[in-house]
Amino acid sequence: MKILAHPLSVGGYITYLLDDTGRPLVAEMKDTQQEIVDASVALAKKYNVNRAQYVEDYSATSRKSKWKIKINT
């Protein structure tokens, strides 16, 4: 499983918990980038996930660069 976060086209952000096939299991909408980091940390602890990324594009098939979200705090 992994966590993926990105901005929404209408504003705000969304954080997904994805299973190994890429299917979303949990999705949470957030207002700020700090909230997506906090949500990623909480999801990582709850579901024992060690991979989280942020991509600066709302397209699911984006080719833009992705950044690792630090979740080991």
Side-chain angles (χ1 to χ4, degrees):
M1 286 197 289
K2 71 177 181 178
I3 297 166
L4 179 65
H6 63 81
L8 295 168
S9 60
V10 295
Y13 302 88
I14 192 160
T15 302
Y16 297 99
L17 174 67
L18 304 173
D19 69 10
D20 293 331
T21 66
R23 190 180 86 208
L25 302 174
V26 177
E28 299 178 347
M29 294 178 61
K30 302 298 175 187
D31 293 323
T32 67
Q33 288 183 346
Q34 184 58 48
E35 287 177 346
I36 65 169
V37 170
D38 295 342
S40 295
V41 170
L43 286 172
K45 287 180 182 177
K46 184 174 181 178
Y47 294 97
N48 196 25
V49 178
N50 60 9
R51 288 180 53 208
Q53 293 180 318
Y54 175 81
V55 62
E56 189 62 48
D57 190 351
Y58 56 86
S59 168
T61 58
S62 174
R63 296 192 183 276
K64 290 190 176 183
S65 298
K66 295 179 180 178
W67 296 270
K68 183 178 178 182
I69 298 173
K70 184 177 179 185
I71 55 176
N72 298 328
T73 57

